[in-house]
Amino acid sequence: MTTEQDLPEREGMDYDVVVVGGGPAGLATAIRLKQLNADLTVVVVEKGSEVGAHILSGAVIDPAGLDALLPDWREDPDRPLKQEVTDDRFYFLGPAGSLRLPNVMMPGLMNNHGNFIGSLGNVTKWLAARAEALGVEIYPGFAAAEVLFDHGGAVRGIATGDMGIARDGEVTDRFTRGMELRGKYTVFAEGARGHLTKQLIRTFQLDEGREPPKFGIGLKEVWQVRPENHKPGLVQHSFGWPLDMKTGGGSFLYHAEDNQVYVGFVVHLNYENPTLSPFDEFQRFKQHPSVRPILEGGKRLSYGARAITEGGWQSVPKLAFPGGTLVGCAAGLVNVPRIKGSHNAILSGMLCAEHLAEAIAAGREHDELASYEGAWRSSAIGKDLWTVRNVKPLWSKLGTIGGVMLGGIDMWFNSLLRFSPFGTLKHGKPDHATLKPIDQVKPIVYPRPDGVISFDKLSSVFLSNTNHEEDQPIHLTLKDPAVPIRDNLPKYGEPARLYCPAAVYEVVYGDEAAKTDPKFVINAQNCVHCKTCDIKDPAQNINWVTPEGGGGPNYPGM
């Protein structure tokens, strides 16, 4: 196997600021830096094949971030958001019916009027064009694979991954050495559970004194529906069936432009039953009598899945460390009950950029941007997260009925009085520690997909346009290859085969009938980069690392 010492030295480039991730937070950081000082050199590196290729969100977008960053965006004829919300509905679902909740019961922050339905992937493409027009360099298809440190331990940039390394670790004839991108400061905008962000949190103990991070998995399909079933601007959220009352989650249906409906499902990853499959819960949801008629006669256009940060106020790590910062979903800035994070992602990028520009103007570099860490909680971001801080822990502790009711009351108290009778609640266990042994639960049996409204995983992955170079090291690494069969299979039924939404993990038996000689198989080429395995594996044995740049999903307008 080729070792690091056998490889040629990397070439490098120097910038004022290096941004890792071409999502809304990273691009907002870059744009705001150039607005403040056009002479700053800024580079954005993005692991997707193009900007937006790995972006997946609902999305009903609060325009507060865009309004602050680019106040003229609504005047652009090519703007990515045109469909305003016209109707806003909340439902509680049972197996055979639904109950609409009066909007008057909802705190004002839950109101979606004034927001826009659209593709966050398209928003990032539009932001990238704006950034490049300001002189930002953007390099899609290059994955940040390694954090670079100086002799004092401060971050000094990143290295992109080598390309052309075979699965056995040997170099191939297509080998290209990665590059060093060095900056006075490096901004990590990798999204939820970024693999470099995870390392930085551990290295600098950024989570000290914080609650454990919490996550959900969001699954989404885009459908072209019949014109008579389309209601432009309708936003519909629900909770309840098909999940049991102990399992957190919910659904969305957003009626966008051009007879398209975005349908999605979120499962909180602190669920207990190891036989639960988020993908199959989503497929079952679409068969509900209030949902199926909307989709009948339509065509499924695309599919994807992505982890969502849900810890909020209590779980946000320290955002600054020597030489770098965290922004957006890498920092965990999603407002869970609103199912919105892009506005906070943009605002965090702007806030970070303002403190970066001030530091660079003062001649500083590679130090800790303490002013940014000190500013976010008193900013609009902090106020947004503070108000809803108890919704997730109440839902986790009390289940759907009690948790949602008290969470709503708590939001009213916080919205009107800036006070909660509960104080600030703790989240408790990390998501990987919540599963019960398989012999302590009732196994969930899912119906077979009908191929019309519900589908299997492989046909869904096909619609995500996922592709990886086959002859490369597997990017889903196991700390101990024996754990899946030795430990997880007998205790939990090896839940990776179920929580993964892309059929990456399988348990294959030498004798299927007798269930003997089991082997754990990783189909890494199917991976849609959702990061659920890295989060939910009860042994914390799976470590997601970046594959070759350009690999993974190529989401069309998700």
Side-chain angles (χ1 to χ4, degrees), residues 427-490:
H427 288 303
K429 296 178 181 178
D431 294 333
H432 70 263
T434 61
L435 287 178
K436 291 182 176 180
I438 196 167
D439 59 6
Q440 296 180 19
V441 303
K442 181 180 179 180
I444 302 172
V445 179
Y446 292 101
R448 293 178 64 86
D450 60 16
V452 178
I453 301 297
S454 56
F455 302 89
D456 62 18
K457 287 182 180 178
L458 290 179
S459 65
S460 300
V461 172
F462 177 78
L463 291 180
S464 72
N465 301 307
T466 294
N467 182 60
H468 294 89
E469 169 61 45
E470 289 190 17
D471 191 16
Q472 65 171 306
I474 292 176
H475 67 279
L476 302 153
T477 62
L478 301 179
K479 298 173 186 175
D480 181 349
V483 163
I485 300 303
R486 185 191 66 207
D487 301 337
N488 286 352
L489 184 61

Side-chain angles (χ1 to χ4, degrees), residues 193 269 429-435 492 534-540:
R193 197 68 167 195
L269 287 178
K429 296 178 181 178
D431 294 333
H432 70 263
T434 61
L435 287 178
Y492 301 109
D534 195 288
I535 297 163
K536 188 60 176 173
D537 176 28
Q540 287 295 275

Side-chain angles (χ1 to χ4, degrees), residues 203-496:
T203 298
F204 292 106
Q205 299 180 324
L206 303 179
D207 56 352
E208 185 175 355
R210 269 68 166 180
E211 281 293 288
K214 305 296 286 183
F215 298 91
I217 177 175
L219 305 104
K220 175 184 175 182
E221 294 174 353
V222 177
W223 283 69
Q224 191 94 38
V225 300
R226 297 167 63 181
E228 59 267 30
N229 293 337
H230 188 242
K231 299 176 182 178
L234 171 62
V235 167
Q236 181 175 314
H237 292 104
S238 74
F239 60 95
W241 189 90
L243 299 175
D244 63 32
M245 293 300 101
K246 292 183 179 179
T247 304
S251 75
F252 61 83
L253 281 96
Y254 303 152
H255 290 245
E257 300 173 85
D258 302 324
N259 293 326
Q260 289 191 356
V261 172
Y262 304 158
V263 54
F265 201 79
V266 176
V267 177
H268 299 178
L269 287 178
N270 60 353
Y271 66 82
E272 298 178 344
N273 191 329
T275 69
L276 185 149
S277 164
F279 175 88
D280 291 298
E281 295 291 348
F282 177 33
Q283 299 307 311
R284 186 159 62 159
F285 156 75
K286 290 185 294 175
Q287 299 287 2
H288 192 272
S290 69
V291 179
R292 184 181 176 100
I294 298 171
L295 305 178
E296 282 183 327
K299 180 182 180 181
R300 190 174 66 145
L301 302 178
S302 54
Y303 163 83
R306 186 69 171 92
I308 306 166
T309 60
E310 293 188 341
W313 177 268
Q314 297 94 315
S315 299
V316 175
K318 186 179 178 183
L319 301 186
F321 44 90
T325 59
L326 306 180
V327 294
C329 286
L333 304 180
V334 170
N335 183 313
V336 175
R338 295 184 72 200
I339 324 178
K340 290 177 178 59
S342 60
H343 64 300
N344 284 339
I346 292 172
L347 292 173
S348 70
M350 293 179 65
L351 183 66
C352 180
E354 287 159 8
H355 290 271
L356 284 170
E358 182 179 336
I360 293 170
R364 294 162 51 192
E365 60 182 80
H366 299 154
D367 62 347
E368 184 174 313
L369 208 65
S371 59
Y372 168 54
E373 165 63 21
W376 81 264
R377 289 189 188 267
S378 60
S379 73
I381 305 164
K383 293 172 184 175
D384 190 50
L385 298 186
W386 171 261
T387 305
V388 302
R389 67 193 183 282
N390 289 327
V391 173
K392 169 73 175 179
L394 283 168
W395 199 334
S396 299
K397 295 177 192 302
L398 302 176
T400 297
I401 300 298
V404 170
M405 288 179 59
L406 286 180
I409 293 170
D410 190 69
M411 284 192 288
W412 273 111
F413 267 94
N414 281 296
S415 298
L416 298 176
L417 304 175
R418 299 293 294 168
F419 158 79
S420 167
F422 302 107
T424 298
L425 296 174
K426 295 181 180 297
H427 288 303
K429 296 178 181 178
D431 294 333
H432 70 263
T434 61
L435 287 178
K436 291 182 176 180
I438 196 167
D439 59 6
Q440 296 180 19
V441 303
K442 181 180 179 180
I444 302 172
V445 179
Y446 292 101
R448 293 178 64 86
D450 60 16
V452 178
I453 301 297
S454 56
F455 302 89
D456 62 18
K457 287 182 180 178
L458 290 179
S459 65
S460 300
V461 172
F462 177 78
L463 291 180
S464 72
N465 301 307
T466 294
N467 182 60
H468 294 89
E469 169 61 45
E470 289 190 17
D471 191 16
Q472 65 171 306
I474 292 176
H475 67 279
L476 302 153
T477 62
L478 301 179
K479 298 173 186 175
D480 181 349
V483 163
I485 300 303
R486 185 191 66 207
D487 301 337
N488 286 352
L489 184 61
K491 189 171 183 179
Y492 301 109
E494 185 40 83

